[in-house]
Amino acid sequence: MFDEIQFEKINRLPKYIFAEINDLKMAARRAGEDIIDFSMGNPDAPTPEPLVDKLCETARKPKTHGYSASKGIYKLRLAMSNWYKRKYSVSLDPDTEVVATMGSKEGYVHLVQAISNPGDVAIVPDPTYPIHSQAFVLAGANVEKMEVVFDEETFVVDEDRFLADVEAALDNSVPKAKFLVVNFPHNPTTATVTPEFYVRLVALAKEKRFYIISDIAYADITFDGYHTPSILAVEGAKDVAVESYTLSKSYNMAGWRVGFVCGNKKLIDALQSIKSWLDYGMFTPIQVAATVALDEFGDIPEEKIIPLYQKRRDVMIEAFGNAGWPLAKPRASMFIWGKLPEAAREMGSLEFSKQLLVKAGVAVSPGIGFGKYGDQYVRIALIENEKRIRQAARNIRKFLRELEAEKKKEAS
């Protein structure tokens, strides 16, 4: 009789495409194979030692072991406000315009839960980090997709096209969309925008009356002179927008789960309210260490994190290019959005990723897992060292030569 009971919320979620790659990867490792893994955006370098030391020091104080504040301790929220002031000249009230969250993903999902009504519509660009759309599905809302169009050499977003597509999506959605999600530097494509883009977007949001949720998880990881803009730096942006940020990538603190949502007071109040029902916040020593990271070690991303990913990016582009897989150079994030090699275009990203794993021992994330417009690409995370990157390139060279030989044989 229990087979008749359905969990409709879970049934609305699509099949998790990355699970196929994960299963193959685990099976190969159990069989003793060496898999070079570029499939997950999980930093491989350790958290900087001063932050670990502060965590341990604080954790030894018994008074820090009780429940914390669901919206984050005041000093952490103040540190985030000061970060915005230093980086973007943006003033934020730490009490009413900042929430500390258990990673930006938790903050984003709970925000969507708090502000979405059943049947609401959110515009989410495609391809996208899956939770950006599925959070609305879980909240009983609907998603209107639009393609992210960018220059394939520079990864700069076609901003005129993007804004025109937002207007078209607003016209096409029933009821009219209430929310727009933006995420630049973009996951998975690494695409970037200019400050002027946000000026125009805020003006459009005020004219058409919708809220903007901006995710800048990769704000600190930029290369070649590019600097990530913040939507909150636009005059009047706090009337229509919130922005999420995380220490996961900037400070190699992915497992610590420290993020923030900042901006519009009405949306921040809704998030604070729902969190007060659902959690007691992060472990206090983690919050103290995160406060120290923001207040005292703001040079870590520029001095330690960016050089690491930039070197890996450059090595990968050179090595994979020499192996027969040309890749364009991103200006931001810890990923490369690689167009499928010519010999593999017909098979699509999922089949290519499976064959690359089985035949070359290299794991990547299939672009189709991020949306239908990602199917000619794979996302490659820069989470293996330079030696492993070069080994992967050698494996890929052999795989591509075998693939090209098979195609020639089939054509003859």
Side-chain angles (χ1 to χ4, degrees), residues 96-108:
T96 62
E97 296 177 329
V98 180
V99 181
T101 61
M102 298 177 188
S104 60
K105 187 174 185 179
E106 175 270 316
Y108 177 86

Side-chain angles (χ1 to χ4, degrees), residues 33-51:
E33 297 179 30
D34 177 31
I35 301 300
I36 302 172
D37 192 358
F38 303 116
S39 65
M40 296 294 291
N42 191 13
D44 64 310
T47 302
E49 189 172 346
L51 308 184

Side-chain angles (χ1 to χ4, degrees), residues 204-400:
L204 182 63
K206 291 187 174 186
E207 176 191 349
K208 300 292 186 178
R209 299 182 62 79
F210 61 87
Y211 284 114
I212 303 163
I213 304 172
S214 170
D215 175 4
I216 57 167
Y218 299 92
D220 290 327
I221 304 176
T222 59
F223 317 115
D224 307 326
Y226 178 74
H227 298 286
T228 300
S230 166
I231 193 170
L232 297 183
V234 176
E235 185 176 355
K238 287 191 287 186
D239 295 336
V240 295
V242 290
E243 191 159 69
S244 63
Y245 172 76
T246 174
L247 273 65
S248 293
K249 310 306 190 294
S250 302
Y251 292 86
N252 284 341
M253 294 172 67
W256 296 50
R257 310 313 302 134
V258 184
F260 304 88
V261 181
C262 309
N264 179 270
K265 290 182 179 180
K266 184 176 181 180
L267 300 188
I268 294 299
D269 182 65
L271 177 55
Q272 288 181 349
S273 295
I274 200 170
K275 282 180 65 64
S276 70
W277 284 97
L278 296 175
D279 70 71
Y280 287 109
M282 292 169 275
F283 184 40
T284 297
I286 290 177
Q287 297 191 62
V288 172
T291 302
V292 170
L294 291 168
D295 282 345
E296 301 179 24
F297 293 96
D299 56 347
I300 282 177
E302 186 172 348
E303 292 186 0
K304 296 183 180 297
I305 309 302
I306 293 174
L308 174 72
Y309 288 125
Q310 182 164 341
K311 180 64 174 176
R312 291 178 178 182
R313 177 200 67 169
D314 294 345
V315 168
M316 180 174 286
I317 287 172
E318 179 184 11
F320 281 33
N322 290 338
W325 188 2
L327 301 170
K329 183 182 291 187
R331 298 195 298 170
S333 88
M334 56 183 289
F335 304 112
I336 289 179
W337 187 237
K339 196 157 193 176
L340 299 186
E342 188 68 38
R345 299 271 165 88
E346 295 178 3
M347 67 174 66
S349 62
L350 180 57
E351 183 59 28
F352 171 74
S353 299
K354 290 159 101 174
Q355 290 199 25
L356 189 68
L357 178 59
V358 172
K359 298 180 180 180
V362 175
V364 296
S365 292
I368 190 65
F370 301 97
K372 69 177 183 179
Y373 293 112
D375 197 26
Q376 283 299 301
Y377 296 84
V378 293
R379 193 191 71 175
I380 312 168
L382 300 170
I383 56 170
E384 293 272 14
N385 62 42
E386 296 164 33
K387 180 179 179 181
R388 298 278 283 172
I389 290 170
R390 291 190 173 94
Q391 179 59 55
R394 290 191 288 271
N395 296 359
I396 288 168
R397 177 196 293 271
K398 182 174 181 292
F399 166 66
L400 291 178

Side-chain angles (χ1 to χ4, degrees), residues 163-179:
L163 293 165
D165 286 348
V166 170
E167 292 202 60
L170 288 166
D171 292 339
N172 292 334
S173 64
V174 179
K176 194 187 82 171
K178 189 184 291 186
F179 309 104

Side-chain angles (χ1 to χ4, degrees), residues 404-412:
E404 289 165 358
E406 289 175 11
K407 289 178 71 73
K408 288 180 181 179
K409 185 176 180 181
E410 291 173 1
S412 63

